[in-house]
Amino acid sequence: MRDTQRIEKSMIRRTVLTLATLTVAIGMTACSHAIMMLHGTGAKRPAASEFGLGPRSSAQGRYMAKLEPAKPLRPRQMQTVRVTVRDVEGRAIDEAQISVDGGMPQHGHGLPTRPRVTQNLGDGVYEIEGVRFNMGGWWEFKLAIAGSRGADTITFNLDL
Amino acid sequence: MTNRIFAVAALVLLGTIATVTASGRGGWTSAQLDELRSMSLAELESLPRDPTNRVADDPRAADLGRRLFFDTRLSSNGRVACSTCHQVDRGFQDGIALANGVGTTAKRTMPIAGMARSPFLFWDGRKDSLWAQALGPLESPVEHGGTRAQYAHVVVDSYAREYEQIFGALPDLSRVPRSAGPVMDREAASAWSALNSAQRDDVTRVFVNIGKTIAAYERRIEFGPSRFDKYVDAMTSGQPGPSILSDDEIAGLRLFIGRANCTQCHSGPLLTSNEFHNTGVPPRPQLSVDHGRLTGATSVLSDEFNCRSQWSDKRQRCCELEFMVTGDHTLDRAYKVPSLRNVAERAPYMDAGQFATLAEVLDHYNRAPAAATGHTELRPLRLKPVELRQLEAFLRTLSGRIIEGGAVSRTKTQ
């Protein structure tokens, strides 16, 4: 009885191991495209949950911000994006100084234009103009916010 | 017990394999198919309006522009027209390293198809509209070599009726000399200085309208579908046809969207980002040093005919200029990313025709040598010779007819 149990246990182990190996191998084949994209810079694409227009917390947790593009974000188009900035209690942050930066971490290049805040619309909403993403893929869209809660940065991961 | 484990294992394994293989057609994953679709001509958006040119979509302007495009009277020696370098039967380029007008230029002729979709024109992007671009060569001493007063007189003498139908009455140029303009030629320049500002404006307005009609003609010149587009259409419609592309061409396409990093710049239906990059292409030793986009970005801001100028029909903001990157070190010897459509039909390559063949271009990208000035953005690809040949085979699938205003031109392609 004990012997049979041992044999079964060892078989389960072997089967699990084989399955794991096969799954990894198949997974690698399927992801080969993604791996190919990692050339040179070594930057790794964040998890899917890290992508999107927010609301998203700033690096030091001083602000929450969300993006609202005037039109759906598409490559090679000049875009206008509204950003809403609030503190962690949800109060609108007015009179903040916001600068815009970004780029493609996997390609080592920045934004092709110099977007900037052109209007403070009130109630924590700011209009950013001159945004362009010149190709599809993973882009970082970074805001440096200097407001009543101090200076902080927030990075949105966008999939164009 | 053991049998049950194996049965479950087999099911899980089969399920995984099925998921992976079903996710693609022709061996492509769904993500790759999305990328291929984004490069297909079928995805090309309708032609954007040009608010700086109110006659951009006026067929009468396109017709007059086409006639001016071929008119050699728009030159100092009567032998050079736009079509001298932008040859219709060569896909609107000339097939030589440095363009020849009345003299020899320092640049490779750029093709015209699809250019209406680019925010900046010329290799260094020193112009921000097709009409402003068209005016540059007309006053260049090595291209058309003439003056704006000379060209305005050609319009008055030969195209008055057509011009006036589009733009209204021509100015009285009877007191304007046959040759005058803000050009290098001393005599013409001093004749220009002698004119009063109203006369200069009269001449410049006609000159600008020449550019706007040529732009109306040029903006209707587009790339037609290639074998690559047929392949993508077949793949994405789920009806892969019989061998539209060969195995080598498909292998090249895999490299193009994969390890060769081509889509980093050559993306979208025209296979260009329309941006500027330093790729370490060596300058031609006999030419004076040029800094590409670094100076081009400054030039376009002060250009006499830019979007903000009095000659532009734009009544709102000029966002391309307003949010343009200037003064950044990455712009040094950065040049415009050309469309790769019809690339095999237009050797030699690069801003001054430095590379004679596609194989030489690919070898350069594979080795990624340091830039003579500024910094190259390339990194060595380390592709094998067979892979370079496959990439070249793929690039040759991007050729198609050139379409003029909806009609196929006499372009010699496959």
Side-chain angles (χ1 to χ4, degrees):
Chain A
M1 185 64 188
R2 257 189 223 157
D3 275 359
T4 321
Q5 272 181 346
R6 231 188 346 258
I7 290 165
E8 275 207 358
K9 267 185 189 167
S10 96
M11 285 192 73
I12 290 169
R13 261 202 304 272
R14 239 180 298 163
T15 312
V16 167
L17 204 68
T18 315
L19 262 180
T21 315
L22 276 168
T23 311
V24 166
I26 291 165
M28 279 181 77
T29 317
C31 298
S32 62
H33 178 62
I35 290 164
M36 279 175 202
M37 291 301 286
L38 297 177
H39 42 76
T41 67
K44 281 199 181 118
R45 191 184 160 93
S49 57
E50 296 296 309
F51 278 76
L53 302 169
R56 191 167 170 79
S57 171
S58 60
Q60 296 170 50
R62 296 180 203 274
Y63 303 106
M64 293 290 284
K66 67 171 180 179
L67 304 177
E68 279 174 278
K71 290 181 198 165
L73 294 179
R74 299 172 65 180
R76 293 174 295 278
Q77 306 281 324
M78 200 67 108
Q79 318 250 355
T80 298
V81 178
R82 284 185 179 179
V83 56
T84 304
V85 186
R86 304 199 177 278
D87 66 12
V88 281
E89 282 86 37
R91 284 178 295 243
I93 299 293
D94 291 321
E95 312 308 325
Q97 293 298 312
I98 301 172
S99 59
V100 185
D101 197 3
M104 297 194 89
Q106 289 175 324
H107 297 164
H109 64 71
L111 295 172
T113 55
R114 288 219 174 111
R116 61 170 196 281
V117 171
T118 51
Q119 276 191 83
N120 180 345
L121 299 168
D123 200 26
V125 183
Y126 302 80
E127 187 146 283
I128 300 168
E129 288 185 281
V131 179
R132 182 158 60 212
F133 304 100
N134 48 293
M135 63 176 290
W138 166 37
W139 285 84
E140 281 185 344
F141 189 71
K142 299 177 183 178
L143 303 177
I145 303 169
S148 52
R149 303 289 180 275
D152 209 347
T153 57
I154 182 161
T155 301
F156 291 90
N157 293 295
L158 304 175
D159 202 359
L160 266 293
Chain B
M1 177 71 181
T2 317
N3 284 347
R4 228 180 305 152
I5 291 166
F6 274 116
V8 171
L11 273 176
V12 169
L13 188 58
L14 279 173
T16 316
I17 292 169
T19 312
V20 169
T21 50
S23 67
R25 295 192 185 98
W28 301 103
T29 65
S30 56
Q32 286 173 324
L33 279 180
D34 283 347
E35 187 162 11
L36 295 188
R37 192 180 291 114
S38 77
M39 292 154 58
S40 162
L41 213 47
E43 294 294 302
L44 193 66
E45 298 189 343
S46 55
L47 196 57
R49 286 182 56 247
D50 178 2
T52 70
N53 181 2
R54 67 179 175 82
V55 303
D57 295 309
D58 182 334
R60 296 170 306 172
D63 194 46
L64 175 56
R66 183 179 47 75
R67 291 169 70 187
L68 292 168
F69 187 89
F70 294 94
D71 194 330
T72 54
R73 286 172 297 180
L74 302 185
S75 66
S76 58
N77 63 5
R79 290 205 297 271
V80 175
C82 304
S83 58
T84 303
C85 295
H86 300 287
Q87 298 166 16
V88 180
D89 60 358
R90 289 178 180 264
F92 292 91
Q93 56 88 49
D94 50 9
I96 53 175
L98 300 177
N100 274 320
V102 299
T104 301
T105 74
K107 289 289 164 195
R108 173 79 175 94
T109 300
M110 300 189 89
I112 289 173
M115 284 297 178
R117 300 164 183 278
S118 176
F120 296 104
L121 287 299
F122 280 129
W123 284 105
D124 58 1
R126 66 184 181 276
K127 296 283 185 175
D128 64 351
S129 70
L130 268 186
W131 62 269
Q133 187 281 329
L135 300 177
L138 286 170
E139 290 193 317
S140 154
V142 288
E143 295 181 61
H144 295 248
T147 64
R148 57 182 74 174
Q150 175 197 344
Y151 306 141
H153 279 294
V154 170
V155 170
V156 170
D157 296 346
S158 305
Y159 299 104
R161 190 174 53 84
E162 294 88 338
Y163 180 98
E164 291 187 335
Q165 278 175 0
I166 305 163
F167 299 106
L170 273 160
D172 175 11
L173 299 184
S174 56
R175 288 167 187 276
V176 172
R178 300 298 297 184
S179 179
V183 291
M184 281 163 80
D185 181 83
R186 268 194 208 160
E187 218 172 295
S190 93
W192 182 249
S193 313
L195 296 176
N196 64 40
S197 70
Q199 286 174 311
R200 279 190 229 161
D201 280 358
D202 281 347
V203 170
T204 301
R205 189 167 297 107
V206 178
F207 180 55
V208 162
N209 287 338
I210 289 173
K212 286 181 179 174
T213 61
I214 292 173
Y217 164 60
E218 289 181 334
R219 69 190 249 108
R220 291 143 56 99
I221 300 169
E222 299 260 35
F223 289 109
S226 64
R227 278 204 294 131
F228 163 71
D229 299 293
K230 282 183 200 147
Y231 176 78
V232 174
D233 292 349
M235 285 299 139
T236 52
S237 67
Q239 296 166 328
S243 55
I244 298 169
L245 298 188
S246 73
D247 288 350
D248 269 354
E249 289 164 344
I250 293 169
L253 174 54
R254 282 188 190 284
L255 289 163
F256 188 88
I257 67 166
R259 274 189 299 137
N261 303 342
C262 306
T263 51
Q264 199 164 319
C265 293
H266 297 287
S267 61
L270 292 182
L271 302 162
T272 174
S273 62
N274 284 322
E275 300 295 337
F276 301 86
H277 295 282
N278 182 332
T279 52
V281 174
R284 275 190 178 271
Q286 71 271 30
L287 299 178
S288 56
V289 180
D290 110 64
H291 294 279
R293 183 59 175 164
L294 190 63
T295 42
T298 316
S299 302
V300 72
L301 280 178
S302 59
D303 182 53
E304 180 186 3
F305 302 118
N306 74 16
C307 170
R308 290 171 180 159
S309 72
Q310 68 177 111
W311 306 111
S312 161
D313 299 317
K314 179 98 172 175
R315 291 287 167 264
Q316 289 156 357
R317 292 160 59 199
C318 299
C319 290
E320 290 295 344
L321 294 179
E322 193 175 335
F323 301 104
M324 184 176 68
V325 176
T326 54
D328 193 277
H329 69 95
T330 58
L331 304 181
D332 196 5
R333 272 193 75 73
Y335 294 96
K336 191 161 176 219
V337 177
S339 168
L340 290 187
R341 291 199 168 267
N342 285 33
V343 68
E345 315 304 319
R346 51 164 199 269
Y349 302 102
M350 304 303 170
D351 68 289
Q354 290 95 323
F355 300 135
T357 61
L358 280 177
E360 278 182 39
V361 174
L362 293 170
D363 175 63
H364 173 83
Y365 279 83
N366 201 34
R367 289 183 295 107
T373 312
H375 298 282
T376 182
E377 294 178 39
L378 303 183
R379 297 183 200 92
L381 295 172
R382 302 182 209 291
L383 298 177
K384 296 177 199 137
V386 63
E387 293 175 318
L388 294 174
R389 282 198 297 276
Q390 289 167 335
L391 259 181
E392 182 177 340
F394 165 66
L395 291 175
R396 293 183 183 282
T397 71
L398 295 171
S399 293
R401 299 291 190 108
I402 302 286
I403 295 166
E404 270 184 73
V408 175
S409 81
R410 293 177 290 122
T411 306
K412 275 185 277 180
T413 55
Q414 47 181 263

